[in-house]
Amino acid sequence: MSASVENVFYNINIERAILSSIIYAPWDFEELTSGLSADVFYLPFHRDIYTTMLKLQQKNLPIDEDFIRQKYSGGKFDDDSFFEILSATPLSNTAPYIEEIIRLAENRRVDQLCTEMRKILQSSGDAEEAKAFLAANIDKAYQSSDGEMLSFSEVKARLKLQPPREKIATGIAFVDQHLDGGFDMGSFIMVGGRPNSGKTSLVVQWMKYISKREKVAFWSLEFLLEDIIDKQGGVNGSYENHNWLLNDKTNSIEKVCADIGRLARQGIRFFVIDSQMKLKSKTARNREEEETYKFAMLSEAAHMHKVVVVLIYQTTSGGKAFYSSAAEYYANHMIEVEKCEEIMHEYAKEAMPISERGQQRYDYRRLRYIKCKGNMEIVWLYRFKLTNQTFEARLNEAKVQAAVKQWEKEKKAAEKEGRIYVSARLDEQGLQEEVDGFVRPSEEVEYEDIEFSHIKL
């Protein structure tokens, strides 16, 4: 075969550039190498280098020049060829180049198949034998596809043989009950709301519950680590947690996704990024494209590594949350946290327990489940403990609304008669009937004795 024809079947420069891209951006290994196998490289040394990279990645070792040299298990190490790889310009997008070397590898296999068929015809002259050889080997010439087609019944039969889908519980009883035990592994969850509505508090509550049994990872891009520690009692406080991993530096979506892959291989299953606006990508041309890219990347990371990824986002006063319309497409679940109306805050201040200093202890929050099973909207009303920012108990909203109306009625009557209105100790008499269930049923909720002597009746 002439040199000009052979050149159609490989491109050494592309192979070097792909390997160089991996060495200079190892945190993007899984994204850079999607669909890439060692056998598509034409040069044996390139195949051995890529195989070495795969072994390093599987063992969570650095993919750099020193470790590649140490762990190389091919033939003699070719320093000149390795220098040419290191000297190649890394690619900004490897996907089309990987597709190209896969196509060239297929061309080589087809060419080899044709050569074998010619040998059969020249040796035996039997066309039927040549056709049988072609039929038996033609599929081997092409890259195998991950998109194997199965019938509905075949899929159903396979699923019956698999164990039930693994879930991770949040620790909030009514959320877990609705989710049949918790979030499915491989889910991308989005939690949003207005500033100071309690969205981060809700997710931190999930993390603190999960971290009692396993490690969780939290990228705090909105708050400094000092702020996180302060919210949990400060450096001199009693709260300790060795399973809660924190990072307030990494704001690159590419690096965050690479870290999710690395940490998932270490057994971590729950990841939180706070927040969407602070997460950046250098490749996007505008804000809409950047947001869509972030949602797609995080959804793919959750699915690929079979973990739960939570992204916190912020809504505006007009309800707008995104420039991209792709959020609901990529998210498995979307929950928004809302402060309740001012009248409920006033009622909570009157009706619920207060401290000795007269400070309000509780408030109301709504969890608006805007994407869930059946794509219907569900709203839950929760009692929110202000001292530790915890969603403590779900309330019967109808009973709360009735209590608010009764409170308004009594207040108006008192004002009409010229009296100063104070509610009739609803904390003891009415609250227990409103509460459907607590977050931690095993822990008793203690109400402080309230001194009413300072209140004018």
Side-chain angles (χ1 to χ4, degrees):
M1 183 176 293
S2 65
S4 60
V5 176
E6 283 188 9
N7 286 339
V8 176
F9 299 152
Y10 61 87
N11 190 316
I12 302 302
N13 290 330
I14 290 180
E15 293 186 8
R16 290 172 182 156
I18 291 173
L19 295 173
S20 174
S21 301
I22 298 170
I23 293 172
Y24 289 110
W27 54 83
D28 285 340
F29 184 88
E30 293 183 357
E31 181 185 357
L32 292 171
T33 61
S34 177
L36 184 63
S37 58
D39 62 355
V40 303
F41 289 96
Y42 176 74
L43 288 185
F45 180 71
H46 290 175
R47 289 198 294 270
D48 292 339
I49 288 292
Y50 184 66
T51 300
T52 303
M53 290 176 170
L54 287 172
K55 292 178 180 178
L56 292 172
Q57 189 262 351
Q58 291 167 359
K59 295 180 180 180
N60 292 315
L61 294 174
I63 302 176
D64 59 20
E65 179 179 353
D66 292 336
F67 270 86
I68 289 173
R69 288 180 180 275
Q70 290 177 28
K71 303 299 181 180
Y72 181 78
S73 57
K76 181 181 177 181
F77 195 88
D78 189 338
D79 289 293
D80 292 337
S81 295
F82 193 54
F83 177 78
E84 290 174 339
I85 292 172
L86 296 175
S87 302
T89 302
L91 302 166
S92 59
N93 180 12
T94 60
Y97 297 95
I98 289 176
E99 290 178 4
E100 176 63 10
I101 65 170
I102 289 174
R103 184 187 69 82
L104 294 172
E106 290 174 347
N107 285 351
R108 293 197 299 272
R109 288 193 287 267
V110 170
D111 178 66
Q112 181 63 34
L113 189 60
C114 292
T115 300
E116 295 297 326
M117 287 182 63
R118 281 195 297 270
K119 289 181 179 178
I120 292 172
L121 290 172
Q122 291 171 356
S123 63
S124 66
D126 189 340
E128 291 301 319
E129 182 182 351
K131 287 166 59 179
F133 175 82
L134 176 63
N137 293 277
I138 187 64
D139 289 339
K140 299 176 183 178
Y142 296 95
Q143 176 114 343
S144 61
S145 172
D146 293 331
E148 180 185 1
M149 301 300 292
L150 300 172
S151 71
F152 177 90
S153 296
E154 287 173 327
V155 174
K156 187 175 177 181
R158 287 192 180 188
L159 292 176
K160 282 184 178 180
L161 299 176
Q162 296 179 5
R165 294 185 69 177
E166 191 176 5
K167 294 177 176 287
I168 191 164
T170 67
I172 297 182
F174 286 90
V175 175
D176 293 334
Q177 180 182 358
H178 173 71
L179 297 169
D180 299 325
F183 292 123
D184 289 320
M185 302 311 297
S187 296
F188 175 42
I189 316 299
M190 299 188 71
V191 176
R194 296 288 307 283
N196 299 314
S197 61
K199 52 190 181 294
T200 301
S201 297
L202 174 67
V203 178
V204 166
Q205 185 172 339
W206 294 348
M207 287 195 296
K208 290 174 72 174
Y209 175 82
I210 295 167
S211 64
K212 291 179 181 179
R213 301 178 304 281
E214 57 185 276
K215 292 184 183 297
V216 298
F218 181 53
W219 282 269
S220 179
L221 309 182
E222 290 281 348
F223 304 102
L224 298 175
L225 297 188
E226 292 88 338
D227 298 328
I228 300 297
I229 299 300
D230 287 343
K231 285 179 179 290
Q232 305 305 320
V235 294
N236 296 319
S238 60
Y239 184 73
E240 299 287 347
N241 194 329
H242 294 287
N243 281 343
W244 185 0
L245 308 182
L246 298 166
N247 181 321
D248 66 348
K249 304 298 182 186
T250 305
N251 67 349
S252 162
I253 178 63
E254 292 83 7
K255 290 185 179 180
V256 166
C257 287
D259 283 343
I260 289 174
R262 176 176 59 83
L263 294 170
R265 289 189 291 275
Q266 297 175 17
I268 297 178
R269 305 189 302 159
F270 195 80
F271 301 85
V272 176
I273 302 100
D274 184 12
S275 67
Q276 186 272 136
M277 291 190 299
K278 296 288 185 177
L279 199 58
K280 301 298 180 184
S281 172
K282 294 181 180 179
T283 61
R285 294 170 294 182
N286 54 57
R287 191 162 181 177
E288 179 182 1
E289 185 177 290
E290 182 181 53
E291 288 185 353
T292 301
Y293 179 62
K294 286 186 284 189
F295 304 150
M297 289 279 288
L298 293 174
S299 176
E300 178 64 22
H303 178 74
M304 179 187 301
H305 302 294
K306 296 294 184 290
V307 297
V308 173
V309 176
V310 179
L311 178 66
I312 298 174
Y313 64 92
Q314 184 169 299
T315 59
T316 64
S317 56
K320 182 177 176 61
F322 311 109
Y323 286 83
S324 168
S325 59
E328 291 194 35
Y329 172 77
Y330 286 108
N332 297 97
H333 303 277
M334 294 184 73
I335 300 174
E336 288 192 354
V337 183
E338 299 176 348
K339 284 186 177 181
C340 292
E341 300 87 345
E342 187 62 31
I343 186 64
M344 281 206 172
H345 292 177
E346 291 181 31
Y347 166 71
K349 191 172 182 178
E350 290 276 0
M352 292 187 177
I354 55 178
S355 69
E356 292 179 358
R357 296 180 181 179
Q359 295 176 338
Q360 185 179 347
R361 291 177 59 192
Y362 296 102
D363 210 338
Y364 289 118
R365 293 289 188 274
R366 281 197 178 96
L367 298 190
R368 186 177 299 278
Y369 209 137
I370 59 178
K371 183 182 180 184
C372 57
K373 295 185 300 183
N375 287 326
M376 59 183 174
E377 182 174 289
I378 296 177
V379 179
W380 292 324
L381 181 65
Y382 271 85
R383 189 174 70 190
F384 185 68
K385 191 170 184 179
L386 297 172
T387 52
N388 58 12
Q389 302 206 334
T390 300
F391 288 77
E392 192 172 67
R394 196 185 84 157
L395 304 176
N396 183 313
E397 188 163 7
K399 290 184 178 181
V400 173
Q401 294 287 3
V404 170
K405 289 181 179 179
Q406 179 65 23
W407 176 79
E408 286 184 295
K409 181 179 178 181
E410 292 173 359
K411 187 175 181 179
K412 287 179 180 178
E415 290 173 348
K416 186 175 182 180
E417 297 172 6
R419 293 185 291 109
I420 297 176
Y421 172 76
V422 177
S423 59
R425 301 190 72 172
L426 294 176
D427 56 290
E428 292 182 355
Q429 299 174 18
L431 180 63
Q432 289 301 317
E433 294 181 3
E434 296 166 10
V435 175
D436 289 334
F438 289 92
V439 175
R440 299 174 297 279
S442 61
E443 298 182 14
E444 293 294 329
V445 179
E446 297 181 1
Y447 298 106
E448 299 176 15
D449 291 333
I450 306 168
E451 178 59 55
F452 284 91
S453 60
H454 66 286
I455 299 178
K456 295 181 180 181
L457 300 176

